[in-house]
Amino acid sequence: MLKIDCATKDIKILGIELSRLCNFDCTMCNQIHLSQKSELKEKIWRQTLKPLYRNILALSIMGGEITFSKNCRNFVSFIVTDHPHIKISTSTNGALFDNSWQEIFLKKGNDVNFSINASNREAYKKINKADFFSQVAFNLGSLIEKRNNAKSPLRISASFVILNENFLDIDDFIELCLAKKVDAIYFKCDSYAILPKKNQERIIKLNQTFQKYSLLLDKNIIVGLREFSKIWSKGPKGVNGYKYSPSNSFCREPWQSLYINTLGDVSFCCHAKKIGNIYRESLNYIWCGKKARVFREAVKNNDYKYCSRSCQQYKIPDNTKTMPAWKKNFEMLGNYLPKAPIPTLEAALRYAGRKLGSLK
């Protein structure tokens, strides 16, 4: 029986955004905060969150580039030294994921994702605005080799944001990942929700990809490509690889998970509305407060109105049958639409530039 009132000792999963600093300037990324002000203060993760660590089993470090931020490195060293039972997960661009980071994750890592977005150097430079393709490929291969030799349980994946610039490279990226022997290959949408242009060549190409890699898709070694096709084609016409299967599982995040971003905003996960701010309220007040209890009550009753449509757990409303076609389509696609925050004027201008570029 799930209780609406919970204690902080029940928190087993912690997601934390320590910094938005990054050594890349990827065209599709909405994170353009490059100052120290975009970091979660050390006092929060070292002192305020201290009561949580003894019960935390899984830690996900999000935000900017983990290997580029001193704050992130200090935090990881703190966790590894003082709380060695905690398993760490993160996503990295891989350019600075050297031997020291590899050793940490081989010993204390749960999973790590390399965000690559290209299958060759030229496309990589154009998309990521950095010339580190060879270094990233080397670091990925090195980590996998060490993992296999050490028989570490670390799960290693690679991801690819589908854009106009790399659409025809999807198969080559899959082959690159298979050659490196990654555990999973993730495909995602542009963070600004700008979809690649659709034409007959691309429709044919994507259908051929589904046929060629159907077994890997069914085994969830390739993840997100079918979901992308649903958004991109806006229905069954054109691309036939998508199999719509809304989640029927129950979400337990409000009873066991906590997410904190660089601003100190607290939620149950990165797809949920905030329930407080760690800079202004105590941890116990947030976890046990009215907003948290109302949220749990809603989820307990299978009501996910406080969750983002970008979450796979989001339940499509029962009244979609009576909705106008445009609104129904939005609800159906909502599970897979990425969040697209525009936090700064610079980010807004970048979004406008990408949007205008997609219309050419």
Side-chain angles (χ1 to χ4, degrees):
M1 184 69 177
L2 292 172
K3 298 179 180 179
I4 303 305
D5 295 305
C6 295
T8 53
K9 65 180 179 61
D10 297 323
I11 302 173
K12 306 299 181 186
I13 303 169
L14 176 63
I16 188 167
E17 188 182 73
L18 289 161
S19 172
R20 295 179 74 85
L21 294 172
C22 189
N23 52 331
F24 281 19
D25 186 26
C26 302
T27 59
M28 67 288 187
C29 186
N30 57 58
Q31 297 182 172
I32 311 185
H33 300 276
L34 298 176
S35 72
Q36 297 297 328
K37 293 180 181 179
S38 65
E39 297 195 316
L40 188 70
K41 292 181 180 179
E42 181 175 342
K43 179 181 178 181
I44 297 297
W45 58 256
R46 190 179 292 275
Q47 298 178 23
T48 307
L49 301 182
K50 185 177 179 180
L52 295 183
Y53 296 129
R54 69 174 67 180
N55 297 309
I56 294 295
L57 300 178
L59 169 67
S60 181
I61 303 175
M62 310 175 193
E65 173 54 40
I66 182 176
T67 61
F68 186 65
S69 165
K70 183 179 179 181
N71 194 37
C72 288
R73 181 176 286 276
N74 290 341
F75 175 69
V76 171
S77 296
F78 164 72
I79 291 296
V80 170
T81 302
D82 292 14
H83 307 281
H85 68 283
I86 297 177
K87 292 295 184 180
I88 308 171
S89 300
T90 197
S91 183
T92 174
N93 59 44
L96 301 176
F97 209 83
D98 56 17
N99 288 331
S100 62
W101 281 103
Q102 291 177 26
E103 290 303 319
I104 289 172
F105 274 81
L106 287 170
K107 294 177 181 178
K108 301 299 178 183
N110 187 45
D111 62 78
V112 59
N113 176 70
F114 277 62
S115 177
I116 303 177
N117 309 310
S119 62
N120 59 77
R121 182 185 176 191
E122 292 307 312
Y124 186 91
K125 288 194 295 183
K126 185 182 296 184
I127 295 166
N128 297 320
K129 296 186 178 180
D131 190 8
F132 291 105
F133 181 76
S134 297
Q135 185 62 46
V136 171
F138 175 81
N139 288 342
L140 175 61
S142 173
L143 179 62
I144 292 174
E145 181 179 4
K146 291 177 181 177
R147 187 273 307 270
N148 294 342
N149 291 338
K151 296 182 179 180
S152 166
L154 178 67
R155 180 176 170 82
I156 304 170
S157 61
S159 62
F160 183 101
V161 177
I162 304 175
L163 307 166
N164 276 315
E165 298 91 328
N166 62 14
F167 192 97
L168 297 178
D169 296 334
I170 291 175
D171 284 17
D172 290 340
F173 181 74
I174 292 174
E175 291 300 322
L176 171 68
C177 292
L178 294 178
K180 294 291 183 181
K181 298 182 180 180
V182 300
D183 298 308
I185 307 167
Y186 292 101
F187 287 94
K188 303 177 181 180
C189 288
D190 189 328
S191 63
Y192 289 116
I194 297 173
L195 299 175
K197 289 176 284 189
K198 185 168 58 173
N199 56 40
Q200 194 61 29
E201 178 189 13
R202 291 182 173 185
I203 290 172
I204 293 172
K205 181 69 173 176
L206 194 54
N207 274 319
Q208 290 173 343
T209 299
F210 284 124
Q211 294 173 7
K212 184 177 180 180
Y213 300 105
S214 60
L215 185 60
L216 296 179
L217 286 159
D218 291 339
K219 289 184 175 181
N220 284 327
I221 293 174
I222 297 176
V223 182
L225 201 54
R226 283 174 171 157
E227 289 79 0
F228 164 79
S229 77
K230 174 65 177 181
I231 302 172
W232 188 58
S233 63
K234 292 184 173 64
K237 294 181 179 179
V239 180
N240 57 23
Y242 179 79
K243 296 179 180 178
Y244 182 67
S245 55
S247 174
N248 291 316
S249 59
F250 181 79
C251 178
R252 293 185 175 273
E253 300 300 274
W255 286 268
Q256 64 181 14
S257 177
L258 200 68
Y259 171 77
I260 304 171
N261 69 16
T262 55
L263 299 176
D265 291 333
V266 180
S267 56
F268 291 121
C269 78
C270 61
H271 296 289
K273 289 185 178 180
K274 73 175 185 178
I275 55 174
N277 186 283
I278 201 68
Y279 285 121
R280 298 191 294 268
E281 301 156 309
S282 72
L283 185 62
N284 190 67
Y285 177 84
I286 295 171
W287 184 253
C288 305
K290 181 179 178 180
K291 288 183 179 179
R293 287 185 278 111
V294 169
F295 197 116
R296 292 190 189 101
E297 183 69 44
V299 173
K300 186 177 179 181
N301 293 320
N302 206 36
D303 181 356
Y304 290 80
K305 62 187 175 186
Y306 300 117
C307 303
S308 166
R309 288 183 175 86
S310 59
C311 178
Q312 296 254 4
Q313 291 283 5
Y314 180 81
K315 309 296 181 182
I316 297 172
D318 294 332
N319 63 345
T320 52
K321 292 182 180 180
T322 60
M323 285 183 178
W326 67 268
K327 191 171 183 181
K328 180 177 180 179
N329 188 50
F330 180 78
E331 293 290 349
M332 293 293 285
L333 297 178
N335 281 358
Y336 306 104
L337 285 175
K339 292 184 293 183
I342 309 291
T344 65
L345 176 60
E346 185 179 357
L349 291 173
R350 173 177 289 189
Y351 171 78
R354 286 192 59 76
K355 189 65 176 176
L356 289 172
S358 71
L359 297 176
K360 293 179 180 179

